[in-house]
């Protein structure tokens, strides 16, 4: 530190509390110059103005956000219309095997749209095909056995006719004394034996016909089992998940696909007691999805829970005090949901509006567009 002297020649050291502010630029070792420090009052004034500007900026931002919220908030609903939020859902359907077997072919994949009756997978049915051929061969054998039994029955009937004629002649000859009683008895026994043979032939025909029926039933059973190993979509919908792959061996009931039934699309919402008590099955409703806020979807109330329950955590309510709620199911018309099946995605969030008073008109924003 550089020393300084007073007028009397005494050495006076500068105090540590004294700040020496150069009034001229300070030269650095490489020739550059640093700007002179501002006075303390100027620094405080600059900081004060910055704080004021920051505060004004925060106030303006809050005012702008409030104005935006006020301009974009949904108008209040009229009395007679209740609202609740939820997620749109479509009934899931598992397409599974009826019998244990190996997957031979998959004809659709995840995301594909399918129609009712469309083949989606084929199982390996070589064992069933062999069993079907065996039963069909047994049926042919039974047909030949029936033909043979009928021929034997015709022969037995001829024997009965002959025996009857012989005993008739023996009877007339016995009266005239031309034959003995022994001959007559022999003819009588021959007739009874021919009748028994005819009856046995008829029984063999019946047995062969039953064998044919059994073979036909077996063939029909194998055909049904083969058909059941061709997996089809039970309804119109969309494949949501592919669970198994080609070549995999599945047990009976093994799932191959899970599809969404686009003919049964709904939203479950929860309403408090006062609102739920006014809802009836068949009441008009509107669904407004977040993805399509300007396209309200017409729907109907199809289910009302008969017991209140605690609100699930994933469902938000307007007030914390609404703890016990009633579950209401609002379903889209099947024809409409099928017509717009490409836009249906399970899980889309939105709002459901239920009209509890049929005299109340729907607000303009909930009017269904043609």
């Amino acid at each position: 530190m550089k020393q300084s002297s007073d007028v009397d020649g005494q050495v006076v050291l500068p105090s540590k509390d004294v700040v020496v502010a150069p009034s001229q630029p300070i030269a650095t070792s490489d020739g550059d110059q640093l700007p002179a420090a501002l006075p303390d009052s100027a620094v405080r004034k600059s900081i004060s103005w910055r704080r004021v500007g920051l505060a004004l900026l925060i106030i303006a931002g809050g005012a702008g956000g409030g104005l935006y919220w006020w301009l974009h908030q949904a108008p209040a609903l009229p009395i007679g219309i209740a609202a609740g939020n939820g997620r749109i859902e479509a009934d899931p359907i598992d397409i599974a095997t009826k019998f244990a077997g190996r997957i031979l072919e998959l004809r659709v994949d995840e995301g594909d749209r399918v129609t009712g009756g469309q083949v989606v997978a084929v199982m390996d049915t070589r064992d069933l095909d062999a069993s079907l051929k065996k039963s069909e061969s047994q049926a042919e054998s039974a047909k030949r056995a029936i033909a043979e039994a009928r021929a034997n029955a015709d022969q037995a009937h001829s024997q009965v006719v002959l025996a009857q004629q012989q005993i008739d002649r023996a009877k007339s000859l016995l009266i005239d004394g031309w034959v003995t009683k022994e001959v007559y008895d022999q003819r009588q026994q021959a007739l009874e034996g021919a009748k028994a043979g005819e009856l046995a032939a008829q029984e063999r025909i019946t047995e062969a016909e039953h064998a044919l029926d059994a073979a036909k039933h077996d063939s029909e059973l194998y055909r049904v089992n083969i058909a059941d190993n061709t997996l089809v979509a039970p309804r119109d919908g969309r494949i949501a998940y592919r669970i198994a792959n080609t070549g995999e061996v599945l047990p009976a009931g093994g799932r191959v696909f899970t599809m969404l039934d686009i003919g049964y699309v709904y939203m479950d919402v929860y309403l408090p007691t006062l609102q739920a008590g006014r809802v009836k099955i068949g009441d008009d409703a509107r669904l407004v999805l977040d993805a399509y806020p300007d396209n309200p979807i017409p729907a109907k109330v199809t289910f009302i829970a008969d017991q209140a329950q605690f609100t699930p955590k994933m469902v938000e309510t307007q007030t914390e005090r609404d703890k016990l709620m009633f579950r209401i199911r609002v379903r889209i018309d099947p024809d409409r949901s099928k017509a717009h099946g490409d836009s249906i995605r399970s899980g889309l969030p939105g709002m459901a509006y239920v009209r509890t008073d049929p005299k109340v008109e729907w607000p303009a924003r909930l009017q269904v567009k043609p």
Side-chain angles (χ1 to χ4, degrees):
M1 180 181 297
K2 186 178 179 180
Q3 295 181 346
S4 62
S5 60
D6 59 2
V7 294
D8 295 333
Q10 295 179 355
V11 178
V12 180
L13 296 176
S15 172
K16 293 187 295 181
D17 299 332
V18 177
V19 178
V20 179
S23 59
Q24 299 297 329
I26 302 174
T28 62
S29 59
D30 56 0
D32 295 336
Q33 290 185 346
L34 296 176
L38 295 175
D40 186 60
S41 60
V43 172
R44 289 195 299 269
K45 186 175 182 181
S46 176
I47 294 174
S48 176
W49 276 109
R50 290 179 182 177
R51 291 177 178 175
V52 172
L54 181 60
L56 291 176
L57 184 62
I58 294 174
I59 294 173
L67 179 62
Y68 178 86
W69 174 84
W70 182 77
L71 291 175
H72 291 80
Q73 68 173 339
L77 291 173
I79 298 176
I81 297 180
N85 65 328
R87 296 182 182 274
I88 195 169
E89 299 289 345
D91 259 7
I93 301 176
D94 290 333
I95 302 177
T97 62
K98 183 178 180 181
F99 310 100
R102 186 187 305 274
I103 300 176
L104 182 64
E105 180 184 359
L106 296 178
R107 298 188 180 180
V108 295
D109 206 347
E110 293 180 356
D112 290 346
R113 179 105 177 250
V114 295
T115 57
Q118 178 181 341
V119 177
V120 297
V122 178
M123 305 295 292
D124 187 359
T125 59
R126 288 175 295 177
D127 53 345
L128 294 175
D129 292 336
S131 298
L132 174 60
K133 292 179 180 179
K134 179 181 177 181
S135 64
E136 289 176 344
S137 297
Q138 292 173 344
E140 291 298 326
S141 298
K143 290 179 180 178
R144 288 192 294 269
I146 291 174
E148 182 181 357
R150 286 176 177 171
N152 293 333
D154 292 341
Q155 183 180 6
H157 181 70
S158 299
Q159 295 294 332
V160 170
V161 172
L162 177 60
Q164 185 66 49
Q165 291 173 350
Q166 289 176 347
I167 196 171
D168 290 342
R169 285 194 295 268
K171 185 177 182 180
S172 61
L173 292 174
L174 179 62
I175 295 174
D176 296 336
W178 294 102
V179 297
T180 63
K181 183 70 168 60
E182 180 181 1
V183 173
Y184 177 81
D185 292 340
Q186 290 175 353
R187 298 293 184 270
Q188 183 68 35
Q189 290 176 356
L191 175 61
E192 293 177 356
K195 289 182 178 179
E198 183 182 22
L199 181 60
Q202 292 293 337
E203 291 295 330
R204 282 192 290 272
I205 292 175
T206 303
E207 182 180 357
E209 289 175 344
H210 288 166
L212 177 60
D213 290 341
K216 287 182 177 179
H217 291 324
D218 284 343
S219 298
E220 183 63 26
L221 175 62
Y222 289 127
R223 291 191 188 96
V224 171
N225 291 345
I226 291 173
D228 286 342
N229 274 279
T230 301
L231 307 184
V232 299
R235 297 182 182 179
D236 294 350
R238 186 178 299 281
I239 300 298
Y241 304 103
R242 175 175 56 81
I243 303 170
N245 210 340
T246 303
E248 293 187 19
V249 177
L250 300 180
R255 294 188 299 164
V256 181
F257 294 106
T258 296
M259 62 170 287
L260 299 178
D261 180 10
I262 61 175
Y264 195 97
V265 182
Y266 61 91
M267 180 184 290
D268 285 342
V269 297
Y270 293 83
L271 299 179
T273 303
L274 294 179
Q275 293 181 343
R278 300 187 180 98
V279 179
K280 299 181 293 297
I281 298 293
D283 280 349
D284 264 346
R286 297 288 186 270
L287 298 181
V288 179
L289 303 180
D290 294 351
Y292 308 99
D294 298 327
N295 294 282
I297 305 170
K300 296 284 186 181
V301 175
T302 59
F303 171 80
I304 304 172
D306 56 357
Q307 291 184 351
Q309 62 188 73
F310 286 99
T311 308
K313 292 184 179 180
M314 73 285 297
V315 178
E316 299 175 0
T317 57
Q318 294 182 355
T319 57
E320 270 301 313
R321 66 176 179 272
D322 292 332
K323 297 296 184 182
L324 289 177
M325 312 284 280
F326 285 85
R327 181 166 65 93
I328 310 294
R329 174 162 295 182
V330 179
R331 181 184 175 187
I332 302 175
D333 180 73
D335 293 335
R336 188 179 186 91
S337 60
K338 289 180 180 179
H340 298 82
D342 293 336
S343 302
I344 294 176
R345 294 175 180 85
S346 183
L348 289 178
M351 293 289 297
Y353 300 89
V354 180
R355 186 170 64 179
T356 59
D357 186 354
K359 298 179 181 179
V360 176
E361 293 291 336
W362 286 105
R365 63 187 179 89
L366 297 179
Q367 293 286 345
V368 177
K369 298 179 180 179

